[in-house]
C-alpha cells in the first residue's frame, strides 16, 4: 500500500542547486545550453504554496495521478476560480487577468483523467445555477465567441483527453486565443453578428484553458502547426508540459481526503465570490493586486535568466518574446497562489520566487517539447552500446586490461546482431569520441593491432586493472 500523503505537510522552497534530473524519466534536452540545469519536476511541485502542495500530493497518493498531471490541472482550476475575483498589476502599470492557458501532454496511463476529474469536481459544483454556458470542449471558434459575447464572461476550455480538440479549428485559432488570453474579446468577423447583439456584446471576458492531451497527438499538432503558432505569438503564451510518467495504483478509499476537501471548499468560495463580482462589473474592471518591489526585482532577474536558458534554441528576437511571456505567466501564477492562500497586501517576494521556479520548469518543458532532442545516429548508438558492454565485461572479470585484439572485437559482431561493418563503425565512433584508440603492439615478437580503451575516459574502477588477458 502507498504511504499516506503528509496531511500537515506544506510546500517549501527547494534548493536552487543544479539538478541532474529534469522531469520524470526525462533526460536534459539538447535545446538547453550546456551547463544549465532546469528545476526538476519535484522542485516545481515543492515550490507550490502549502494549500496547493498538499492537494497535489494527496491526489497522487489517493488517485494515483502523476505529479505533472496534478501540477498542470490544479493550476488550471485554481486560475479559473481566482480570475473572476482579481487581476494583477503588470510591469508596465497596467493590469492583466489571472487566467492561464495550459496544455498537459502525457503518455497513456499518466493520470490525466484522474487529475482533471478530481480537481474539476468543486468547479462543477460551484458553477451550478450559472445561466450561461461556461465549460467548453471541442467547439468551433464561432460558437465559442458567440457564447462569450452573449454573456459567458467566465469560461473554461478543459477536457481530460483532448485529441479531438487538437484536430479541431479552435486549437489553430491563434489570434482569437491570444486576445482571450488577455481577456479581450476578438473583433467581429461578420457584420450581422454585431447587429444581432445590438451593441450589448461583452468587450472583455475570461477564458481559462486547461487541456489534457495524449503525447502523440501533441507531437503531431506541433509538427503541423507549431511554426504558425509561434509566428502568431500564441505559442509563447501557452504553458506546456510533456512528460512520460505513469500513474500509480493509489490508495483509493483506504486513505481519507483532507487537503483535497480544503481545496474543494476554497474553490467553491472563490467561484461564488467571483460570480457575484462578474455580475456587477466587467472582467477588465476587477480589483487589482499589486506586486511588492522585492517581487518585481525577482521577476527582473528572472527575465534575464529566461533569456539565457532559451538562447540556444531561439533566435535573438524570439528569446526576448519567450522571456517576456514566461515572466507574464510567472506573474499570473504568483497571483493565483497569492489569492488562493488568502494572503494580504501585494504579492510577496517569497510567493514570486515560488512562481518563478514553477514558471521556469514550465519554460524548460516548453523548450523541450517545441525543440525535441534529435535521436542519435545508429552508429553512435552502437558505439555507446559497445562501450557500455566492454566496461561491463571488464568489471565482471576483475582481471581485465583495457585492450583487446581488434580482430577479436570485430569477431563479436554476430553476438550483437551487427555486421562486421557495423561493429567497425561502432569502434570508429569510440575512437573519434576519445573513448578508445587502435594501436600496433608487439606481443611475443609478433606485431598485433590492439583496440584499447582510453584510461582517462574509463570508469574509475577500470583505471587500475592489471594487464592480464580476458576471455570474451
Amino acid at each position: 500500500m502507498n504511504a499516506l500523503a503528509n496531511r500537515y505537510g506544506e510546500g517549501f522552497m527547494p534548493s536552487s542547486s543544479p539538478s541532474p534530473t529534469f522531469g520524470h524519466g526525462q533526460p536534459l534536452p539538447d535545446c538547453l545550453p550546456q551547463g544549465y540545469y532546469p528545476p526538476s519536476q519535484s522542485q516545481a511541485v515543492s515550490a507550490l504554496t502549502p494549500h496547493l502542495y498538499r492537494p497535489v500530493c494527496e491526489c497522487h497518493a489517493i488517485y494515483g495521478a502523476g505529479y505533472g498531471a496534478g501540477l498542470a490541472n490544479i493550476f488550471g482550476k485554481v486560475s479559473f476560480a481566482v480570475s473572476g475575483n482579481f487581476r494583477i498589476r503588470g510591469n508596465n502599470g497596467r493590469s492583466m487577468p489571472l487566467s492561464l492557458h495550459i496544455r498537459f501532454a502525457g503518455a497513456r496511463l499518466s493520470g490525466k483523467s484522474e487529475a482533471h476529474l478530481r480537481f474539476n469536481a468543486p468547479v462543477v459544483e460551484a458553477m451550478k445555477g450559472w445561466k450561461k454556458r461556461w465549460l467548453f470542449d471541442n467547439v468551433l471558434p464561432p460558437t465559442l465567441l458567440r457564447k462569450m459575447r452573449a454573456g459567458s464572461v467566465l469560461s473554461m476550455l478543459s477536457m481530460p483527453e483532448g485529441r479531438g480538440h487538437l484536430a479541431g479549428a479552435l486549437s489553430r485559432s491563434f489570434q482569437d486565443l491570444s486576445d482571450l488570453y488577455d481577456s479581450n474579446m476578438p473583433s467581429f468577423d461578420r457584420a450581422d453578428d454585431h447587429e444581432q447583439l445590438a451593441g450589448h456584446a461583452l468587450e472583455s471576458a475570461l477564458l481559462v484553458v486547461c487541456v489534457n492531451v495524449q503525447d502523440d497527438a501533441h507531437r503531431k499538432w506541433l509538427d503541423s502547426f507549431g511554426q504558425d503558432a509561434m509566428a502568431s505569438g500564441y505559442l509563447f503564451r501557452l504553458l506546456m508540459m510533456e512528460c512520460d510518467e505513469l500513474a500509480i495504483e493509489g490508495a483509493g478509499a483506504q486513505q481519507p481526503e483532507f487537503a483535497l476537501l480544503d481545496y474543494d471548499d476554497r474553490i467553491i468560495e472563490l467561484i461564488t465570490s467571483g460570480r457575484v463580482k462578474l455580475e456587477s462589473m466587467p472582467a477588465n474592471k476587477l480589483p487589482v493586486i499589486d506586486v511588492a518591489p522585492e517581487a518585481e526585482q525577482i521577476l527582473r532577474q528572472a527575465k534575464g535568466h529566461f533569456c539565457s536558458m532559451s538562447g540556444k534554441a531561439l533566435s535573438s528576437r524570439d528569446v526576448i518574446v519567450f522571456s517576456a511571456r514566461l515572466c507574464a505567466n510567472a506573474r499570473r501564477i504568483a497571483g493565483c497562489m497569492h489569492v488562493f492562500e488568502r494572503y494580504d497586501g501585494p504579492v510577496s517576494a517569497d510567493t514570486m520566487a515560488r512562481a518563478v521556479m514553477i514558471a521556469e520548469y514550465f519554460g524548460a518543458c516548453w523548450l523541450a517539447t517545441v525543440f525535441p532532442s534529435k535521436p542519435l545516429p545508429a552508429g553512435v548508438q552502437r558505439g555507446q552500446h559497445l562501450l557500455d558492454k566492454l566496461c561491463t565485461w571488464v568489471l565482471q572479470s576483475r582481471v581485465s586490461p583495457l585492450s583487446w585484439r581488434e580482430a577479436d572485437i570485430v569477431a563479436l559482431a554476430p553476438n550483437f546482431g551487427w555486421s562486421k561493418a557495423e561493429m567497425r563503425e561502432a569502434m570508429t565512433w569510440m575512437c573519434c569520441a576519445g573513448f578508445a584508440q587502435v594501436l600496433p603492439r608487439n606481443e611475443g615478437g609478433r606485431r598485433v593491432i590492439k583496440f584499447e580503451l582510453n584510461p582517462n575516459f574509463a570508469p574509475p574502477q577500470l583505471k587500475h586493472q592489471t594487464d592480464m588477458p580476458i576471455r570474451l
Side-chain angles (χ1 to χ4, degrees), residues 158-206:
S158 183
M159 60 207 73
E161 303 286 345
R163 184 177 293 272
H165 166 70
L166 294 186
L170 183 59
S171 70
R172 307 190 296 273
S173 300
F174 305 128
Q175 183 58 55
D176 293 341
L177 291 172
S178 294
D179 290 337
L180 292 172
Y181 173 85
D182 292 321
S183 76
N184 300 321
M185 286 302 304
S187 303
F188 286 95
D189 292 329
R190 301 185 310 175
D192 55 344
D193 285 339
H194 187 272
E195 294 173 356
Q196 291 174 2
L197 291 170
H200 298 294
L202 293 175
E203 295 181 358
S204 64
L206 299 166

Side-chain angles (χ1 to χ4, degrees), residues 220-281:
K220 182 179 179 181
W221 184 91
L222 281 174
D223 292 340
S224 301
F225 310 111
Q227 289 297 325
D228 291 340
M230 187 178 297
S232 71
Y234 178 69
L235 195 64
F236 292 103
R237 295 175 168 89
L238 182 63
L239 291 172
M240 293 190 295
M241 184 193 307
E242 182 178 359
C243 57
D244 59 356
E245 63 180 325
L246 291 176
I248 63 175
E249 184 176 352
Q254 300 179 59
Q255 177 176 343
E257 295 181 356
F258 292 104
L260 285 169
L261 294 179
D262 293 337
Y263 160 84
D264 294 346
D265 293 340
R266 183 57 176 155
I267 289 290
I268 293 174
E269 177 186 353
L270 285 168
I271 292 179
T272 301
S273 63
R275 287 173 56 170
V276 173
K277 288 182 180 179
L278 291 173
E279 287 176 349
S280 60
M281 66 181 70

